[in-house]
Amino acid sequence: MLLIVGTVRLPPANLEKARPAMRAMVSASRAEDGCVEYAYAEDVLDRGLIHVKEIWRDQAALDRHFASDHIAVWRASWPALGIGDRDLHAYEVEKKPRAT
């Protein structure tokens, strides 16, 4: 599995305007085959800082995500929303059974 974690930043004044675009991106991504988890979360201490967490089944699923129409729409919205300062990192992880 692939874990993507990091942050994106946008001007705090644009948060309300960005919410529909972020909601659409999260919903469409969660519906993709191979998406295990996909979430954005606003930092409670740093307004305009959005934490990103994604888990993908494999590289092929992530590649399809990068080629999706909804990610193209999301990326096209960045200039108008002032989204910048992206800091995302990918890690290969394995799921281990829970200890009982």
Side-chain angles (χ1 to χ4, degrees):
M1 289 194 305
L2 297 172
L3 169 66
I4 313 295
V5 292
T7 59
V8 296
R9 182 173 294 283
L10 67 151
N14 290 353
L15 277 169
E16 289 309 312
K17 187 167 76 170
R19 286 185 200 284
M22 289 190 290
R23 189 174 297 113
M25 179 60 182
V26 169
S27 294
S29 297
R30 287 179 178 175
E32 288 184 64
D33 179 43
C35 180
V36 176
E37 186 173 337
Y38 198 100
Y40 294 161
E42 184 179 344
D43 193 290
V44 297
L45 299 177
D46 189 350
R47 210 162 135 69
L49 183 65
I50 305 299
H51 294 270
V52 177
K53 178 183 173 191
E54 308 174 28
I55 302 175
W56 296 92
R57 181 180 56 226
D58 53 30
Q59 186 64 51
L62 183 58
D63 290 344
R64 286 190 303 274
H65 171 67
F66 287 143
S68 69
D69 290 341
H70 57 273
I71 202 167
V73 170
W74 170 235
R75 287 177 175 167
S77 73
W78 291 354
L81 296 173
I83 292 176
D85 192 26
R86 296 183 328 265
D87 184 24
L88 300 168
H89 303 275
Y91 304 93
E92 192 167 333
V93 297
E94 72 178 75
K95 184 176 181 178
K96 297 197 178 211
R98 286 184 152 174
T100 56

